[in-house]
Amino acid sequence: MKKITVIGSMSIDLVVSASKRPGKGETILGDDFFTTPGGKGANQAVAAARLGEKVQMVGRIGEDDFGKEIYGNLKNNHVIVDGVEPVTHVPSGTAHITLSEQDNSIIVVPSANNEVTPDFVKKHLEALTEGDIVLLQQEIPSETVEYVVEFCSENGLVSILNPAPYREINKSIIEKVDYLTPNETESDEMFKGDLDDALSAYPMKLIVTLGDKGAVYHNGKEKVQVDGFKRDVKDTTGAGDTFNGAFAVALQKEYNLEKALAFANLAASYSVTGMGAQGGMPTLEDIKGEWNV
Ligand code: RIB
């Protein structure tokens, strides 16, 4: 069986909910606080594993309690952890999240995630076989993302780059990656122009996610919008990660692009119904009433 490899970040999320966000120089009282496993890479790995695929995580954690929690959580979710290695003298990644007005604001401190270097990922990439799927985000160094996309393109691996959080990407990387999955804000920053122009410039590659409105792409002839699902929102954190993990699963199942996006939209819609990035991520059993698996 081919596998999905996620090369990316792992963090502990420190989450505060409050009735509003503090302004500059302001102190306010929050309503609630919890810590929970997160990081875009780990979230995407857990999302894909919950949907029943064989998923490997490649990344780095600190030799600290957060690192142990991150590692244990991946194992509990049946993610293969051979590629998760501790780094000494650097703490595990953290994300500092404010939940307010049905949305989140996040500051990520990458720490050990900055040690996911090209040298570190090389041996894991070389162990993959043609057709395997590699999923990437941008909470690890940009030279690693570039190295992985180039390696995938030269070795017949399928690459998906979720360009979050946004940072500038070389045009050659956009050309070489198989799928690029920004949200609307990231897409605006990346292409600095009309969404339709960007979509038609990268048919069957650029997929722009639109929250509960679904996702759009261009099929070479026309723009295709694949509708999302509306749910009662508890916490939107991790919805994009669930979309990406589920999208990788759908490619593994060899769904065509439109069906793959419908599957990813459905999984993402479940994710907002639970607290924490991974709290609402569904299993195949959870979605079986709405998806013929
Ligand atoms: O996409 C959500 C994730 O972004 C959170 O889990 C947090 O860790 C940040 O990386």
Side-chain angles (χ1 to χ4, degrees), residues 13 38-40 43 95 106 108 139 237-238 241 277:
D13 292 352
K40 294 186 191 299
N43 291 343
I106 307 180
V108 173
E139 291 177 337
T237 313
D241 297 329

Side-chain angles (χ1 to χ4, degrees), residues 9-15 36-44 93-97 104 106-109 113 139 162 164-165 236-242 276-278 281:
S9 59
M10 298 169 280
S11 295
I12 289 294
D13 292 352
L14 305 150
V15 188
T36 190
K40 294 186 191 299
N43 291 343
Q44 294 180 13
T94 50
H96 306 258
I97 303 181
N104 59 48
I106 307 180
I107 299 176
V108 173
V109 184
N113 295 306
E139 291 177 337
N162 172 222
T236 56
T237 313
D241 297 329
T242 309
Q278 299 173 13
M281 283 175 181

Side-chain angles (χ1 to χ4, degrees), residues 186-212:
E186 290 148 5
S187 161
D188 276 353
E189 286 176 294
M190 198 175 303
F191 297 107
K192 294 179 182 58
D194 188 59
L195 174 62
D196 289 355
D197 289 347
L199 290 169
S200 57
Y202 296 104
M204 306 297 282
K205 173 194 293 240
L206 175 61
I207 295 156
V208 178
T209 59
L210 310 170
D212 64 8

Side-chain angles (χ1 to χ4, degrees), residues 1-171:
M1 185 189 180
K2 302 258 180 215
K3 69 173 173 250
I4 296 169
T5 296
V6 180
I7 299 180
S9 59
M10 298 169 280
S11 295
I12 289 294
D13 292 352
L14 305 150
V15 188
V16 168
S17 56
S19 56
K20 64 169 199 166
R21 283 157 229 280
K24 198 173 168 188
E26 186 183 16
T27 301
I28 62 167
L29 298 182
D31 300 326
D32 196 14
F33 172 76
F34 62 95
T35 65
T36 190
K40 294 186 191 299
N43 291 343
Q44 294 180 13
V46 168
R50 288 217 185 136
L51 292 166
E53 288 303 321
K54 189 170 173 194
V55 184
Q56 168 184 223
M57 180 76 210
V58 173
R60 306 203 81 175
I61 49 179
E63 280 189 322
D64 47 24
D65 288 346
F66 282 170
K68 286 187 197 120
E69 191 179 341
I70 291 167
Y71 190 85
N73 178 63
L74 290 170
K75 282 189 83 169
N76 289 341
N77 281 283
H78 309 290
V79 175
I80 301 164
V81 288
D82 302 356
V84 176
E85 289 182 32
V87 51
T88 48
H89 310 306
V90 182
S92 295
T94 50
H96 306 258
I97 303 181
T98 304
L99 298 181
S100 192
E101 297 146 36
Q102 295 223 316
D103 215 334
N104 59 48
S105 328
I106 307 180
I107 299 176
V108 173
V109 184
S111 303
N113 295 306
N114 280 334
E115 308 300 316
V116 183
T117 60
D119 262 2
F120 172 73
V121 301
K122 191 168 184 261
K123 59 180 181 286
H124 299 291
L125 277 175
E126 285 172 351
L128 301 182
T129 37
E130 209 176 319
D132 278 352
I133 295 170
V134 177
L135 186 49
L136 289 156
Q137 328 70 35
Q138 301 201 126
E139 291 177 337
I140 56 172
S142 56
E143 61 265 29
T144 308
V145 171
E146 290 175 8
Y147 173 78
V148 174
V149 170
E150 273 162 10
F151 186 97
C152 290
S153 122
E154 281 158 20
N155 292 279
L157 306 173
V158 178
S159 58
I160 306 169
L161 172 57
N162 172 222
Y166 172 75
R167 68 184 168 213
E168 214 154 303
I169 303 175
N170 284 336
K171 193 144 188 266

